[in-house]
Each structure stands twice: as C-alpha cells, then as structure tokens.
Amino acid sequence: MFVEVWSTSPTTGGVFVVDFNTQQYVSINLTAPAGVQVAGGSAEWVLECPSISGNLATLTNYVSEYVSGAYAADTNGTTYAPADSTPVVMVDQNMQPISYPTLLGTNAMQIQNTGSSVTSPQ
C-alpha cells in the first residue's frame, strides 16, 4: 500500500491510495466543512483499533506490520521521519498493551501485536 495525504490550503486537500497487489488506486479531493481547517501541524503513522458504538472492537491479531519509506514534508520542504516522532503504545480498556511500534532506522518501523484479542464489554 502507498498512501499520500496533503493539504493545498487551510480548507482543501487530498488523499491518494495505491494497492500494489491489485494495481488499483483512488485519488480524492477533500474540502473541509464550514468553520474547519485541514492544515495541521502533525503527521502520524497509525495502526488503529476501531470503536463501535463507543466501545473498542476486537483487535485483529495482525501479528506484525512493517512500514518503510515513511516520511512527512511541510510546505517548506522540510521532511520528518518516524525516527523524529514519539512512539505510542496502543492499550486496551484495562490499560494493557495490545500493539506497539519499534523503530527500524530513520524511515521504517515494525508495528507488533501482543496477541491480545481483547473485546470491550458490551
């Protein structure tokens, strides 16, 4: 997968996604709702556990995901890499770790699952 996200103004931007396995891609232009700005000051490399009706869903035991070539650039051309970031451990509702990143050089990381299949209380 390749994903690129950008802002072209404080209220417009775009997303481009490529699936290298299927050779399919999509490009979407975005316009922020009235009163909202899309230009921000952060970049994130994220693997998330979704919530359903306010409760965390069961995290799929993905074992491990490798991310390479990751970087962000600002409008001045300054680039930022995962090595410049603050790693965050994903925890369940009992504050037990369920996923964590390991930096592998400047532009790469391994995101690993602890094997947890914690399901939120219904």
Side-chain angles (χ1 to χ4, degrees), residues 10-121:
T11 58
T12 61
V15 178
F16 180 68
V17 180
V18 178
D19 182 333
F20 290 119
N21 289 326
T22 64
Q23 299 299 309
Q24 292 182 318
Y25 65 91
V26 64
S27 182
I28 303 168
N29 293 316
L30 304 171
T31 301
V36 175
Q37 291 193 354
V38 297
S42 70
E44 299 173 3
W45 296 272
V46 179
L47 188 66
E48 291 184 309
C49 181
S51 63
I52 300 171
S53 300
N55 293 308
L56 289 176
T58 300
L59 179 66
T60 300
N61 188 2
Y62 61 86
V63 181
S64 181
E65 289 296 327
Y66 176 70
V67 177
S68 65
Y71 72 93
D74 64 21
T75 55
N76 298 319
T78 303
T79 59
Y80 305 89
D84 303 319
S85 66
T86 302
V88 176
V89 174
M90 184 191 317
V91 296
D92 64 17
Q93 287 150 317
N94 299 314
M95 300 304 291
Q96 297 300 308
I98 57 176
S99 182
Y100 62 93
T102 302
L103 295 174
L104 304 172
T106 302
N107 295 82
M109 71 184 105
Q110 190 89 16
I111 304 173
Q112 297 158 297
N113 183 299
T114 63
S116 172
S117 60
V118 173
T119 304
S120 62

